[in-house]
PDB file of all heavy atoms in Angstrom:
ATOM      1  N   ALA Y 822       4.010  45.842 -32.166  1.00 96.00           N
ATOM      2  CA  ALA Y 822       5.010  45.537 -31.150  1.00 96.00           C
ATOM      3  C   ALA Y 822       6.429  45.825 -31.610  1.00 96.00           C
ATOM      4  O   ALA Y 822       6.751  45.810 -32.805  1.00 96.00           O
ATOM      5  CB  ALA Y 822       4.897  44.071 -30.748  1.00 96.00           C
ATOM      6  N   GLU Y 823       7.269  46.072 -30.608  1.00 97.00           N
ATOM      7  CA  GLU Y 823       8.717  46.041 -30.773  1.00 97.00           C
ATOM      8  C   GLU Y 823       9.226  44.970 -29.817  1.00 97.00           C
ATOM      9  O   GLU Y 823       8.747  44.855 -28.694  1.00 97.00           O
ATOM     10  CB  GLU Y 823       9.339  47.395 -30.442  1.00 97.00           C
ATOM     11  CG  GLU Y 823       8.918  48.493 -31.411  1.00 97.00           C
ATOM     12  CD  GLU Y 823       9.594  49.839 -31.100  1.00 97.00           C
ATOM     13  OE1 GLU Y 823      10.344  49.905 -30.083  1.00 97.00           O
ATOM     14  OE2 GLU Y 823       9.341  50.800 -31.850  1.00 97.00           O
ATOM     15  N   VAL Y 824      10.201  44.173 -30.281  1.00 97.00           N
ATOM     16  CA  VAL Y 824      10.678  43.075 -29.464  1.00 97.00           C
ATOM     17  C   VAL Y 824      12.183  43.183 -29.288  1.00 97.00           C
ATOM     18  O   VAL Y 824      12.927  43.468 -30.248  1.00 97.00           O
ATOM     19  CB  VAL Y 824      10.307  41.698 -30.069  1.00 97.00           C
ATOM     20  CG1 VAL Y 824      10.867  41.530 -31.461  1.00 97.00           C
ATOM     21  CG2 VAL Y 824      10.766  40.550 -29.168  1.00 97.00           C
ATOM     22  N   ALA Y 825      12.613  43.022 -28.063  1.00 97.00           N
ATOM     23  CA  ALA Y 825      14.046  42.982 -27.759  1.00 97.00           C
ATOM     24  C   ALA Y 825      14.403  41.542 -27.404  1.00 97.00           C
ATOM     25  O   ALA Y 825      13.776  40.935 -26.534  1.00 97.00           O
ATOM     26  CB  ALA Y 825      14.362  43.911 -26.590  1.00 97.00           C
ATOM     27  N   LEU Y 826      15.389  40.980 -28.119  1.00 97.00           N
ATOM     28  CA  LEU Y 826      15.798  39.592 -27.943  1.00 97.00           C
ATOM     29  C   LEU Y 826      17.106  39.560 -27.165  1.00 97.00           C
ATOM     30  O   LEU Y 826      18.107  40.167 -27.588  1.00 97.00           O
ATOM     31  CB  LEU Y 826      15.970  38.919 -29.306  1.00 97.00           C
ATOM     32  CG  LEU Y 826      14.732  38.923 -30.206  1.00 97.00           C
ATOM     33  CD1 LEU Y 826      15.101  38.519 -31.629  1.00 97.00           C
ATOM     34  CD2 LEU Y 826      13.679  37.972 -29.661  1.00 97.00           C
ATOM     35  N   TYR Y 827      17.124  38.874 -26.030  1.00 97.00           N
ATOM     36  CA  TYR Y 827      18.316  38.762 -25.196  1.00 97.00           C
ATOM     37  C   TYR Y 827      18.842  37.335 -25.371  1.00 97.00           C
ATOM     38  O   TYR Y 827      18.222  36.357 -24.932  1.00 97.00           O
ATOM     39  CB  TYR Y 827      17.959  39.066 -23.742  1.00 97.00           C
ATOM     40  CG  TYR Y 827      17.437  40.479 -23.578  1.00 97.00           C
ATOM     41  CD1 TYR Y 827      16.065  40.728 -23.627  1.00 97.00           C
ATOM     42  CD2 TYR Y 827      18.308  41.552 -23.405  1.00 97.00           C
ATOM     43  CE1 TYR Y 827      15.577  42.020 -23.502  1.00 97.00           C
ATOM     44  CE2 TYR Y 827      17.827  42.856 -23.278  1.00 97.00           C
ATOM     45  CZ  TYR Y 827      16.467  43.079 -23.326  1.00 97.00           C
ATOM     46  OH  TYR Y 827      15.987  44.362 -23.218  1.00 97.00           O
ATOM     47  N   CYS Y 828      20.001  37.214 -26.027  1.00 96.00           N
ATOM     48  CA  CYS Y 828      20.486  35.903 -26.469  1.00 96.00           C
ATOM     49  C   CYS Y 828      21.901  35.654 -25.980  1.00 96.00           C
ATOM     50  O   CYS Y 828      22.672  36.591 -25.738  1.00 96.00           O
ATOM     51  CB  CYS Y 828      20.500  35.825 -28.000  1.00 96.00           C
ATOM     52  SG  CYS Y 828      19.079  36.556 -28.809  1.00 96.00           S
ATOM     53  N   ASP Y 829      22.226  34.371 -25.903  1.00 95.00           N
ATOM     54  CA  ASP Y 829      23.634  34.050 -25.663  1.00 95.00           C
ATOM     55  C   ASP Y 829      24.406  34.357 -26.945  1.00 95.00           C
ATOM     56  O   ASP Y 829      23.814  34.605 -28.021  1.00 95.00           O
ATOM     57  CB  ASP Y 829      23.800  32.610 -25.221  1.00 95.00           C
ATOM     58  CG  ASP Y 829      23.431  31.581 -26.281  1.00 95.00           C
ATOM     59  OD1 ASP Y 829      23.076  31.979 -27.412  1.00 95.00           O
ATOM     60  OD2 ASP Y 829      23.486  30.367 -25.984  1.00 95.00           O
ATOM     61  N   ALA Y 830      25.700  34.337 -26.867  1.00 95.00           N
ATOM     62  CA  ALA Y 830      26.532  34.806 -27.980  1.00 95.00           C
ATOM     63  C   ALA Y 830      26.310  34.038 -29.273  1.00 95.00           C
ATOM     64  O   ALA Y 830      26.179  34.657 -30.352  1.00 95.00           O
ATOM     65  CB  ALA Y 830      28.007  34.761 -27.561  1.00 95.00           C
ATOM     66  N   PRO Y 831      26.253  32.680 -29.263  1.00 95.00           N
ATOM     67  CA  PRO Y 831      26.060  31.976 -30.536  1.00 95.00           C
ATOM     68  C   PRO Y 831      24.743  32.336 -31.217  1.00 95.00           C
ATOM     69  O   PRO Y 831      24.704  32.562 -32.427  1.00 95.00           O
ATOM     70  CB  PRO Y 831      26.099  30.498 -30.124  1.00 95.00           C
ATOM     71  CG  PRO Y 831      26.888  30.475 -28.858  1.00 95.00           C
ATOM     72  CD  PRO Y 831      26.526  31.739 -28.143  1.00 95.00           C
ATOM     73  N   LEU Y 832      23.653  32.400 -30.436  1.00 95.00           N
ATOM     74  CA  LEU Y 832      22.361  32.733 -31.040  1.00 95.00           C
ATOM     75  C   LEU Y 832      22.350  34.184 -31.505  1.00 95.00           C
ATOM     76  O   LEU Y 832      21.827  34.494 -32.592  1.00 95.00           O
ATOM     77  CB  LEU Y 832      21.238  32.483 -30.036  1.00 95.00           C
ATOM     78  CG  LEU Y 832      19.817  32.827 -30.519  1.00 95.00           C
ATOM     79  CD1 LEU Y 832      19.468  32.047 -31.782  1.00 95.00           C
ATOM     80  CD2 LEU Y 832      18.797  32.554 -29.424  1.00 95.00           C
ATOM     81  N   ALA Y 833      22.941  35.076 -30.703  1.00 96.00           N
ATOM     82  CA  ALA Y 833      22.969  36.490 -31.080  1.00 96.00           C
ATOM     83  C   ALA Y 833      23.684  36.684 -32.412  1.00 96.00           C
ATOM     84  O   ALA Y 833      23.225  37.444 -33.280  1.00 96.00           O
ATOM     85  CB  ALA Y 833      23.651  37.315 -29.982  1.00 96.00           C
ATOM     86  N   SER Y 834      24.786  35.987 -32.601  1.00 95.00           N
ATOM     87  CA  SER Y 834      25.537  36.146 -33.859  1.00 95.00           C
ATOM     88  C   SER Y 834      24.714  35.663 -35.047  1.00 95.00           C
ATOM     89  O   SER Y 834      24.818  36.215 -36.148  1.00 95.00           O
ATOM     90  CB  SER Y 834      26.863  35.390 -33.778  1.00 95.00           C
ATOM     91  OG  SER Y 834      26.652  33.982 -33.723  1.00 95.00           O
TER      92      SER Y 834
END
Side-chain angles (χ1 to χ4, degrees):
E823 295 182 357
V824 58
L826 302 167
Y827 298 93
C828 319
D829 66 2
L832 178 58
S834 67

